[in-house]
């Protein structure tokens, strides 16, 4: 079949080459609805001038040679005299023989001939202007005949010059007649003669300068044809694929069409037409001609800037580069997935994104295809008007169906099927919109005009009908705008007559478009904003066409489940990204953050405020007064900001906001890190602000109930306003009781079982202890903790309480090894594993924003060790440690230096460690007890081996693979979509906390330490966390100001006050409570999913083994060794 097609092509080419040259019929590019018709005689003056323009200069044909067969030097006939009949429209005969076509290199114009023809064209245009547009149809018909004469390039040049002159001289009245002539101009841009192409380009740009705003869409449709094939491919199937490619529009036509299209860009008229423009340009961007490809890319950059969606502005360069370079597609998809959308996604925004999505579906990586399906699914849900998505459903649905059917990955197939279902749902919601019919408005204009119009003006009336239909489509009903657009087009109609006709047509349009408006119950007070917007990440829709109406002085509680978009919405307000929201110059919105960047940690409080770029002009006395009003003493104002506790940092943020004269305070979890006294202060302060509006996100139900005047609730991707506090809100929405109750029925968390601990037979046995611990931060003199003595076991449920700055977090960091005590000791079981979730939990993830949660856990525990645990201060060697470790010790009569510790083995109730000596072979390694190695400065290295063995024991339970990590993260409420397919940078605050908790629990810890665990978790997640803690078989310590949470879970309290820790309700140290029967693991699963039996430790020796043991003991005693310390027991 393939060879047959090639044979057809070869036969056709040979046939063409052997044919005698003859004028070919031009390709039909005339697709205007109303073509000019010769209904009148051409003006005799115009005809004469045009015939004179068609005569080539003498030096154009007098020289011989040129061309494939040479010149015949045939003299032209004499030009028709001016006295010739006006009805004689015969053009001058060609100066070339039919057998001798003009060579493309033959000059058509000299400087003198150019000036002469331009002058003649200008004169002809002036004649048409004086006589009126009634002669234009016949004139353009004459030009159509001229451009079809393939043997007379001079006539084609003359036609383009006259079109240019008419556009400039006659101007707007000629618009209805010249616009349908655009396809002919485009055809001339592809002419083989460069002069014809140049004159056609000038004529095309001149015509485009006439087009009125509401005629742009219909005009652009003529240009799209110039970027496509000049004949439908079905007509050339028999000729073969090769010939089909040859029949594509010449590259000059494509570049000319693009140039004419871009002529509209400065006026901003291309914006509404982007859904049609961008797909046409995408096709041209892959043209084989480099100049055409570059031209299309530049045009794409220009038109994409007209999208009018600020959310996409940073993304556009990445998109355009990806469309031109396939290797950039993956990064573009990730950028799109991390883009936050706060403006409505309309057809223009979709036109920009859909080409990238279609290109992404052709990528090889399954992960990228899945990402495309997720983005498509969510973008379809985000579109306000289904009609906006309708043009893009045709390419997307088949491509996603193919992906769902052919992809081998079951998860990717499932996501693709979901995306297809969403798109089909959107398609079912598309209301069949009937586009306004231009012919209908043409009839209305004819009826409304009081005087009949001549037949030769039918073209103008038809064009005016097209403009009126676009007015209706754009919902523009301003009579002045209609008159300004139509008056030049219908110049043959009197102003009064046209005004009455326009009034009648506009009235009919208004009646058809009239719609009932919803009446909204307006509350008293000053409006701060009343806007509608959408909000989304590329892979998650948050809000779709939601309305926000804020009043001055109100306090709004922003409520909704985790990951619904509360924090993203507040940041979008603060960054000025919400469409329709007043700009910062009119309305000052400040997002309160209590975090202090590391570079400012040593700066005094007063300097930290005064050096704020927005507060440089505020008097220093005013700043000091404001800081004093929120409780900062003179001493505290001079102290470094890094030493402030969470509560004082929140007060500092409030003081800065008030100095900036904020209109709206955006408070995201303001009670985090605040004790009950500071919470009460914050509540009173917010209620005292009468001219400042507050939007509060908090999981402290009591605060919302006491402070809020209104509740804004996330419901089905909308924002719904409820008057009253949280109690009143729950009465109206009973299912929102989860904001009060510390329980959930929606989902649950599940923590893994703690691993085996040697020697621990009871849950109440102490496994972690602090004895006389004291600590002072370097560079300060205040002692944070003194004489701390506490202990905990597997039964511990401890709440660490105290005011801000008392030292709660400091004590926790000492327990976990984040800090090293100045005095006292911390003792723990050698195999103890501790999971620690810090107060500022996100610091665990700051260096891994480009990873997914699954990849982060794989990195953290790769090699069997917790990499973040190795970074603790307690594990780092100091110069003093290194110096002590280099000391030599007397062993077997000689001084030796330890090279390293290799492993450990059990020695009664402790362990001894294998020591390798410097310069000694492995056969001379020794086993030394922990106490001796501690004295020699090797205690931290012993801890490292303990941690390594403890981590390896945990790794026996499950391998570090994507499947098992995914299941583990599902146990802490993180869905597969976010654990495997979403990068950390795109996660919400609540999702990041779940990642941190899941990562800390991966190694099956015995003790879980939570520092402010309630931060960023909603009530449902808190309820699930509480349920998991109740079921957890290990010990739990938590620092939290969330009294409801701690009282529900903790029976024991450590009160930190004045540098002293007072244990309350602490159980007996060695009780018989909670007897344990550890079950050693009998099997493990390796990375390949294979089950491997674990060799169990022997409990009894055989008779033969007992006899051999006794012989070895006797031999050691005979050699003078101490057999009682043997590890064989």
């Amino acid at each position: 079949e393939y060879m047959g097609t090639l044979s057809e092509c070869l036969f056709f080419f040979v046939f063409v080459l052997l044919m005698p040259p003859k004028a070919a019929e031009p390709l039909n590019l005339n697709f205007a609805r109303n073509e000019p018709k010769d209904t009148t005689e051409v003006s005799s003056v115009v005809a004469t001038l045009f015939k004179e323009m068609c005569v080539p200069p003498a030096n154009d044909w007098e020289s011989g040679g040129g061309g494939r067969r040479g010149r015949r030097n045939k003299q032209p006939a004499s030009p028709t005299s001016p006295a010739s009949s006006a009805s004689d429209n015969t053009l001058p005969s060609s100066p070339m023989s039919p057998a001798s076509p003009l060579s493309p290199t033959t000059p058509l114009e000299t400087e003198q001939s150019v000036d002469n023809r331009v002058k003649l064209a200008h004169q002809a245009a002036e004649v048409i202007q004086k006589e009126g547009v009634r002669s234009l149809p016949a004139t353009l018909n004459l030009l159509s005949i001229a451009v079809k004469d393939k043997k007379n390039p001079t006539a084609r040049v003359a036609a383009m010059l006259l079109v240019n002159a008419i556009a400039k001289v006659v101007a707007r009245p000629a618009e209805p007649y010249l616009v349908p002539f655009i396809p002919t101009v485009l055809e001339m841009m592809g002419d083989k003669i460069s002069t014809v192409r140049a004159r056609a380009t000038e004529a095309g740009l001149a015509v485009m300068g006439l087009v009125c705003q509401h005629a742009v869409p219909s005009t652009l449709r003529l240009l799209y044809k110039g970027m496509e094939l000049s004949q439908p491919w079905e007509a050339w199937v028999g000729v073969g694929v090769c010939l089909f490619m040859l029949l594509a529009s010449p590259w000059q036509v494509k570049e000319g069409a693009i140039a004419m299209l871009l002529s509209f860009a400065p006026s901003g008229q291309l914006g509404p037409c982007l859904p049609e423009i961008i797909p046409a340009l995408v096709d041209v961007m892959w043209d084989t001609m480099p100049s055409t490809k570059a031209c299309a890319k530049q045009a794409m950059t220009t038109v994409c800037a007209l999208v009018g969606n600020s959310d996409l502005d940073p993304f556009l360069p990445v998109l355009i580069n990806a469309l031109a370079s396939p290797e950039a597609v993956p990064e573009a998809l990730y950028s799109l997935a991390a883009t936050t959308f706060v403006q409505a996604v309309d057809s223009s925004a979709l036109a920009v994104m859909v080409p990238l999505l279609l290109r992404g579906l052709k990528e090889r990586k399954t992960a990228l295809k899945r990402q495309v399906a997720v983005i498509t699914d969510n973008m379809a849900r985000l579109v306000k008007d289904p009609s906006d998505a309708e043009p893009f459903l045709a390419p997307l649905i088949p491509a996603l169906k193919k992906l769902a059917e052919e992809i081998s990955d079951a998860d990717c197939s499932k996501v693709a099927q979901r995306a297809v279902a969403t798109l089909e749902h959107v398609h079912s919601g598309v209301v069949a919109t009937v586009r306004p019919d231009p012919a209908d408005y043409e009839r209305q204009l004819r009826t409304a005009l009081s005087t009949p119009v001549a037949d030769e003006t039918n073209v103008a009336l038809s064009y005016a009908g097209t403009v009126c239909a676009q007015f209706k489509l754009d919902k523009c009903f301003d009579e002045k705008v209609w008159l300004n657009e139509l008056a030049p087009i219908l110049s043959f109609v009197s102003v009064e007559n046209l005004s009455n006709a326009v009034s009648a047509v506009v009235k009919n349009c208004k009646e058809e478009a009239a719609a009932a408006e919803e009446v909204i119950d307006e509350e008293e007070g000053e409006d701060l904003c009343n806007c509608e917007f959408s909000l989304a990440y590329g892979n998650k829709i948050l809000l779709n066409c939601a309305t926000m109406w804020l009043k001055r002085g109100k306090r709004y509680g922003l409520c909704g489940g985790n990951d619904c978009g509360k924090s993203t919405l507040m940041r979008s307000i603060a960054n000025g990204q919400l469409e329709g929201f007043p700009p910062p110059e009119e309305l000052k919105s400040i997002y309160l953050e209590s975090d202090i960047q590391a570079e400012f940690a040593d700066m005094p409080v007063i300097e930290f405020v005064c050096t704020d770029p927005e507060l440089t002009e505020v008097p220093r006395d005013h700043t000091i007064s404001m800081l004093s009003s929120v409780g900062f003493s003179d001493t505290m104002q001079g102290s470094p900001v890094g030493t402030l506790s969470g509560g004082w940092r929140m007060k500092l943020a409030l003081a800065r906001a008030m100095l900036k004269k904020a209109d709206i305070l955006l408070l995201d979890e303001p009670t985090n890190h605040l004790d009950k006294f500071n919470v009460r202060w914050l509540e009173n302060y917010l209620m005292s602000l009468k001219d400042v509006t507050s939007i509060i996100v908090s999981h402290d139900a009591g605060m919302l109930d006491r402070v809020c005047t209104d509740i804004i609730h996330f419901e089905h991707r909308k924002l719904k306003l409820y008057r009253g506090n949280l109690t009143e809100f729950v009465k109206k929405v009973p299912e929102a009781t989860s904001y009060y109750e510390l329980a959930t029925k929606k989902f649950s968390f599940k923590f893994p079982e703690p691993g085996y601990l040697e020697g621990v037979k009871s849950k109440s046995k102490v496994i972690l202890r602090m004895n006389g611990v004291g600590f002072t931060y370097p560079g300060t003199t205040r002692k944070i903790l003194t004489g701390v003595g506490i202990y905990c076991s597997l039964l511990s449920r401890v709440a660490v309480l105290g005011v801000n700055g008392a030292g709660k977090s400091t004590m926790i960091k000492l327990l976990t090894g984040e800090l090293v005590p100045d005095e006292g000791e911390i003792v723990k079981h050698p195999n103890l594993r501790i999971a620690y979730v810090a107060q500022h939990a996100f610091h665990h993830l700051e260096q891994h924003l480009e990873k997914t949660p699954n990849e982060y856990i794989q990195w953290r525990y790769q090699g069997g060790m917790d990499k973040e645990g190795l970074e603790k201060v307690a594990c780092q060697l100091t110069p003093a440690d290194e110096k002590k470790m280099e000391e030599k010790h007397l062993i077997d009569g000689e001084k030796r230096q330890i090279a390293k510790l290799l492993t450990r083995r059990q020695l009664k109730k402790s362990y001894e460690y294998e020591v390798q000596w410097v310069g000694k072979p492995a056969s001379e390694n020794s086993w030394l007890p922990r106490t001796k190695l501690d004295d020699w400065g090797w205690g931290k290295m012993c801890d490292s081996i303990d941690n390594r063995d403890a981590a390896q024991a945990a790794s026996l339970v499950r391998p570090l693979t994507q499947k098992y990590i995914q299941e583990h993260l599902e146990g802490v409420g993180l869905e597969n979509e976010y654990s495997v397919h979403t990068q950390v940078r795109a996660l919400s605050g609540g999702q990041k906390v779940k990642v941190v908790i899941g990562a800390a629990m991966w190694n099956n810890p015995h003790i879980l330490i939570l520092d402010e665990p309630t931060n960023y978790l909603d009530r449902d997640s808190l309820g699930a966390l509480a349920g998991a803690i109740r079921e957890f078989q290990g010990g739990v310590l938590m620092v939290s100001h969330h009294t409801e949470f701690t009282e529900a879970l903790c029976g024991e309290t450590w009160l930190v006050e004045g540098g002293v820790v007072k244990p309350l309700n602490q159980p007996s140290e060695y009780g018989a409570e909670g007897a344990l029967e550890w079950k050693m693991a009998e099997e493990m699963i390796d990375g390949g999913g294979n089950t491997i039996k674990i060799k169990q430790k022997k409990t009894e020796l055989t008779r033969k083994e007992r006899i051999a043991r006794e012989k070895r003991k006797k031999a050691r005693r005979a050699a003078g060794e101490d057999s009682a310390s043997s590890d064989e027991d």
Side-chain angles (χ1 to χ4, degrees), residues 1020-1086:
D1020 288 327
S1021 297
L1022 283 179
L1025 177 61
I1029 290 175
R1030 291 189 185 98
E1031 299 296 327
F1032 182 51
Q1033 297 301 310
V1036 179
L1037 281 69
M1038 63 180 72
V1039 178
S1040 178
H1041 296 299
H1042 199 298
T1043 56
E1044 181 186 3
F1045 188 76
T1046 56
E1047 290 175 358
L1049 298 173
C1050 302
E1052 183 180 352
T1053 301
W1054 295 348
L1055 182 61
V1056 183
E1057 190 175 21
V1060 178
V1061 180
K1062 300 177 182 178
L1064 304 176
N1065 302 323
Q1066 191 168 31
S1068 174
E1069 183 172 345
Y1070 292 105
E1073 182 182 1
L1076 277 175
E1077 293 184 2
W1078 295 107
K1079 183 179 180 181
M1080 298 294 293
E1082 297 180 355
E1083 58 185 28
M1084 65 172 287
I1085 303 174
D1086 64 10

Side-chain angles (χ1 to χ4, degrees), residues 383-396:
V383 175
K384 180 179 180 180
D385 185 359
S387 300
D388 288 339
E390 184 181 13
F392 310 103
L393 298 179
L396 283 174

Side-chain angles (χ1 to χ4, degrees), residues 93 108 154 227 279 288 296 312 322 347 385 447 484 553 752 930 934 942 974 1095:
S93 61
L108 284 178
T154 306
M227 303 181 201
T288 55
L312 284 175
S347 57
D385 185 359
T447 304
N484 289 337
R930 171 70 185 257
D934 284 342
C942 292
L974 194 66
K1095 186 178 180 180

Side-chain angles (χ1 to χ4, degrees), residues 250-567:
W251 60 269
Q252 298 96 334
V253 175
K254 296 178 182 178
E255 292 185 12
I258 292 174
M260 293 171 67
L261 183 148
L262 291 181
S263 65
F264 290 129
S267 60
Q269 298 172 354
L270 296 180
C273 306
L274 290 183
E276 298 175 356
I277 295 174
I278 291 179
L281 287 177
V282 169
D283 292 338
V284 184
M285 287 179 72
W286 282 88
D287 195 88
T288 55
M289 178 63 65
S291 62
T292 305
K293 186 185 299 185
C295 180
K297 185 175 181 180
Q298 181 59 40
M300 181 68 80
T301 303
T302 302
V303 300
C304 284
L306 305 174
V307 171
N309 191 313
S310 58
D311 304 326
L312 284 175
D313 288 345
F315 172 70
L316 293 177
V318 179
L319 166 74
I320 297 170
N321 184 47
L323 293 177
S325 306
E327 62 273 9
V329 170
E331 182 59 31
L333 286 173
Y334 287 127
S335 299
L336 179 58
T339 301
T340 302
F341 289 93
V342 296
Q343 293 183 312
V345 176
D346 55 10
S347 57
S348 298
L350 286 173
V352 171
M353 292 183 285
V354 167
L356 175 64
L357 298 177
L358 292 173
R359 185 67 56 80
L361 289 174
K362 298 177 183 178
E363 290 291 313
R364 291 187 175 182
K365 291 186 178 179
T366 300
L368 288 176
K369 295 180 180 179
R370 188 187 184 282
Q371 186 79 284
V372 171
V374 172
I375 295 173
T376 304
D377 181 30
N378 288 287
M379 284 295 100
R381 300 174 190 270
L382 188 63
V383 175
K384 180 179 180 180
D385 185 359
S387 300
D388 288 339
E390 184 181 13
F392 310 103
L393 298 179
L396 283 174
I397 291 179
L400 287 168
K401 282 184 176 180
K402 182 179 179 182
L403 174 64
E405 293 171 358
E406 297 181 357
I407 195 73
S408 59
D409 187 279
D411 181 56
C412 181
S413 177
K414 182 179 178 181
V415 174
Q417 290 173 7
R418 187 174 66 226
V420 169
T422 303
L423 292 176
E424 290 178 342
H425 176 73
V426 171
H427 183 66
S428 65
V430 174
V431 178
T433 56
V434 179
R435 293 182 65 88
D437 185 6
D440 180 46
Y441 291 93
E442 179 184 351
R443 287 192 297 270
Q444 291 188 39
L445 283 173
R446 286 184 181 277
T447 304
L449 291 173
S450 59
T451 58
V453 295
D455 292 340
E456 58 268 21
T457 59
N458 287 339
V459 173
L461 271 176
S462 177
Y463 190 82
T466 302
V467 175
C468 292
Q470 191 64 38
F471 274 127
K472 172 66 181 302
L473 197 63
D474 295 341
K475 298 180 180 179
C476 175
F477 305 126
D478 188 338
E479 292 186 19
K480 292 183 178 179
V481 176
W482 283 54
L483 282 173
N484 289 337
E485 295 276 0
L486 296 177
I489 296 173
L490 304 177
S491 57
F492 50 85
V493 180
S494 66
V495 176
E496 182 180 359
N497 192 7
L498 181 60
S499 178
N500 294 334
V502 166
S503 298
V505 177
V506 170
K507 182 180 179 181
N508 292 337
C509 291
K510 286 182 178 179
E511 292 175 354
E512 294 174 1
E517 297 183 0
E518 183 181 358
V519 179
I520 301 176
D521 180 20
E522 184 174 353
E523 185 183 7
E524 294 184 359
E526 178 187 349
D527 283 347
L528 288 183
C529 79
N530 186 2
C531 57
E532 183 180 284
F533 55 90
S534 295
L535 182 67
Y537 279 121
N539 59 352
K540 184 175 179 63
I541 301 169
L542 303 175
L543 292 171
N544 184 17
C545 302
T547 301
M548 175 175 280
W549 194 350
L550 301 179
K551 298 283 185 178
R552 184 175 293 279
K554 294 286 186 177
R555 297 179 295 279
Y556 298 93
L558 194 59
C559 297
N562 244 27
D563 315 328
C564 67
K566 300 184 293 294
S567 297

